[in-house]
Amino acid sequence: MTIVTLLTDFGTRDEYVGVVKGVILTVAPQVTIVDLAHHIAPRDVPAAADMLAAAFPYFPRGSVHLAVVDPGVGSARRIVCAEAAGHRLLAPDNGLLTRVLAEHAVQRVHQVTNTRLFRVPVSPTFHGRDIFAPVAGHLARGGDMAELGPAVDPAGLRRLDLRIPRWAPDRRRIEGSVTAVDRFGNLITNITRRDLEMLAGGAGGSGALRIRIGPHR
C-alpha cells in the first residue's frame, strides 16, 4: 500500500485539506494518507522546504510526498515531480525542493503538464485540488513519472538561498541561526547533528560544547 504525505499552508479550519484528500482517494482508493503539517505560515516556502526535507526520509521508499505552499498558484510557475532516495516529491517549482536537492541525489525530475491527469475544470486558485491531488493519486496507484510530462534538468529547478552555518577557520566554532520555533518552544537551528559531532570530536564524541544565544551561554 502506497503512502501519500501532505504538507501545506492550508490550515485545518476550512475544507481545503479534506477536499485534497477526497480527490486523491477518488483516484487511488487504497492509499494511506499521512498529514505532515498544514499550519505552515501562508506562503512561507523556506519553512516548508526545511520541513519537507526533514520529514520525508522517515517514510517507506516508494512513498509520494505532496507539498503545496504555492504563492505563485495560477501563474507560469512550473509544477514538478522529483525522484530522490526512492521517494517521489510533487511540488511547485518555487524553491520548495531546495533542501531536498541539496541533501539528496535526484534521479530524475519531470514537469507536470499532462492535462489528462487533471480535474476539469482547473481552478486558477486551487491547483492543490485540481492538479496536485489527482497527480499524486496517479503516482500512488503505480503511474510512471514519465507520464506526467517532459523530463527536466534538476540543475534548472529554482532554489532558495540556503541558510548555511559558518565555521570558524580553526573549525572549533560554528555560527548558525534559528530557523523555526516548534509548538513546544524548541528552537530549530540550521546547525546539524553532524556539525555538532564534528565539534565534539567526531561521531560519538564526548567533547564539551558551549552554546551562546545572544547574551546567554
Side-chain angles (χ1 to χ4, degrees):
M1 181 178 296
T2 301
I3 291 173
V4 176
T5 73
L6 301 181
L7 173 64
T8 78
D9 58 355
F10 294 167
T12 52
R13 185 183 67 180
D14 304 300
E15 76 276 12
Y16 305 135
V17 172
V19 166
V20 167
K21 292 180 180 180
V23 173
I24 294 171
L25 292 169
T26 298
V27 177
Q30 302 303 317
V31 305
T32 295
I33 299 176
V34 176
D35 297 294
L36 287 182
H38 297 296
H39 289 280
I40 297 287
R43 299 174 292 279
D44 192 345
V45 176
D50 288 345
M51 190 174 294
L52 178 64
F56 91 88
Y58 293 98
F59 288 84
R61 291 172 64 88
S63 296
V64 176
H65 305 278
L66 173 56
V68 189
V69 177
D70 193 13
V73 62
S75 71
R77 65 89 182 87
R78 299 185 295 184
I79 297 173
V80 295
C81 184
E83 185 175 49
H87 297 253
R88 289 160 293 173
L89 302 105
L90 184 62
D93 183 21
N94 61 4
L96 211 162
L97 295 177
T98 297
R99 187 69 66 178
V100 173
L101 295 170
E103 298 176 1
H104 300 274
V106 174
Q107 283 71 52
R108 54 177 176 159
V109 179
H110 285 263
Q111 184 176 353
V112 177
T113 60
N114 184 356
T115 58
R116 293 192 301 275
L117 300 176
F118 303 170
R119 287 189 74 256
V120 179
V122 172
S123 165
T125 60
F126 201 176
H127 286 183
R129 176 192 66 196
D130 297 334
I131 299 178
F132 287 95
V135 169
H138 167 77
L139 294 170
R141 70 180 182 186
D144 193 320
M145 278 178 56
E147 299 177 62
L148 306 184
V152 297
D153 185 351
L157 296 180
R158 184 175 176 185
R159 286 167 168 79
L160 305 171
D161 290 331
L162 287 176
R163 293 163 284 184
I164 300 174
R166 295 178 298 174
W167 284 87
D170 61 5
R171 307 290 286 183
R172 296 182 63 185
R173 186 179 73 256
I174 188 170
E175 295 182 4
S177 58
V178 174
T179 60
V181 182
D182 72 13
R183 65 174 297 176
F184 299 102
N186 296 308
L187 304 181
I188 312 302
T189 78
N190 60 353
I191 299 174
T192 68
R193 180 190 181 99
R194 182 179 180 187
D195 293 331
L196 295 178
E197 289 176 342
M198 291 176 64
L199 281 172
S206 58
L209 298 177
R210 288 181 294 177
I211 300 172
R212 185 173 67 191
I213 301 178
H216 304 286
R217 286 181 180 268

